[in-house]
Amino acid sequence: MKIIKEIIVVEGRDDITAVKRAVNAEVIAVHGFSVKKNLERIQKAYENRGIIILTDPDFAGLQIRRIIKSRFPLAKQAYINRWEGKKDGDIGVENASPEAIIRALEMAKCETVEASKIFTVNDLIENNLTGHKNSKFYREKLGEKLGIGYSNGKQLLSKLNNYGITREEFENAVKSFKKKKVAFVCVHNSCRSQIAEALGKLYGNDVFKSYSAGTEIKNQINQDAVKYVKEIYNIHMEEEGQKSKHLSDIPNVDIVITMGCNVNCPYLPCEYREDWGLEDPSGKSKEEFYKTIKLIEEKILSLKERIEKNLL
C-alpha cells in the first residue's frame, strides 16, 4: 500500500481528519498558536521523512506557517485557496474537499512510498506498550525518547512504521524506560541470592525484575533462609516458586549483583555489576541470619533508589 512519504503538518485535529479522508498519510497537528511548543514533535519527522506544511488559508495560518518554516527551512509548502476552505463563514483546512487537499499536496511535489511494516502489534505487546496497566505511561516515555509525541496504541504503531524509526532506535528507547532485569548471584543459589530475589520482588518490583542464580545448584534452597524470610516478611520463598537455578536458566539481565562469594561470570553479560560482600549465614545462628537479611533489605532499597535515579 502506498503512503505519502512526507509527514503533513496541519493546525488542528479536524484538519487531521480532513487530510486522512483525502490521502494515506501521517499527520501532525500543531494546535494553532501553540505551534512553538510542538516544534520538537515535528523534528523527527522532518529529519527522517520530510514534512509538508498545510495550514489554513488565513492570516493566522500564514503566521503559523512562517514559524514552522523558519525552524524547518526545507519543508515543502502546500496551500488550499480561501474559497476551498470556506464554509459557513469559517476558513480552514478542515472544510476543504479531498480533491482540494490532493491538489494542494500534488502541487507541493509530495512523494509516495510503500507503507512500512517494520513494526507490528507484537512489538507493542512484548514491550508493554499496549495491554499492560502502565502502557499509557510507557507510550508517553517512548514518545519523548523518539521525539514523536504521545500516541495511543494504534497511532504509535503507525508512527513507528511511518516516521522512519529504525529497529535499533526503538529498542534503545524502550530499554531506557523498561524495567531493569537484576540477577542476584552466588555459588549455589541457595541462601543469600534467594533472599535477595525475594526482597527484590517485595520492594523493587515496580522498578526492576528480580532473578537469582548460581554457578552450581542444590536440590533445595536453604531451609533456614526460607524459615526466617517467612518469619520477617510472611513470604514463603518455595511456595512462591523460588528454587536453586543455574546461571543458564535465567534470561539476559541488565545488572548482576554478586553476594560476596567471588563469583566470576564472564559469560553473563550485563550493563552494570557490583559485589555486596555479604558473609554466608548458612549454619549460623538466627541472629546472624536476621543480620544478613536486614543488610540485604537495605541494599535492595538502595539499589532501587539508584536505578530510579539512573545512577547505575
Side-chain angles (χ1 to χ4, degrees), residues 189 194 197 212-214 216-217 243-247 249-250:
N189 186 217
Q194 291 286 348
E197 179 184 350
S212 68
E216 302 173 20
I217 60 174
K243 61 182 180 179
S244 184
K245 300 175 292 298
H246 190 270
L247 292 170
D249 294 330
I250 63 174

Side-chain angles (χ1 to χ4, degrees), residues 12-62:
R13 292 181 180 177
D14 291 339
D15 300 335
I16 291 179
T17 301
V19 171
K20 286 186 171 289
R21 191 164 53 233
V23 295
N24 185 19
E26 281 297 320
V27 190
I28 296 175
V30 297
H31 305 294
F33 281 109
S34 296
V35 56
K36 291 183 178 179
K37 298 179 181 178
N38 291 286
L39 292 177
E40 292 303 322
R41 293 174 52 228
I42 303 172
Q43 186 70 43
K44 191 70 174 184
Y46 178 72
E47 293 171 355
N48 289 0
R49 300 292 293 265
I51 63 172
I52 298 175
I53 305 171
L54 178 61
T55 53
D56 294 345
D58 57 11
F59 180 75
L62 179 61

Side-chain angles (χ1 to χ4, degrees), residues 174-192:
V174 166
K175 192 176 182 180
S176 70
F177 65 79
K178 201 173 180 181
K179 278 186 184 180
K180 298 288 187 183
K181 293 179 182 178
V182 179
F184 301 100
V185 176
C186 61
V187 175
H188 295 112
N189 186 217
S190 172
C191 187
R192 291 161 294 175

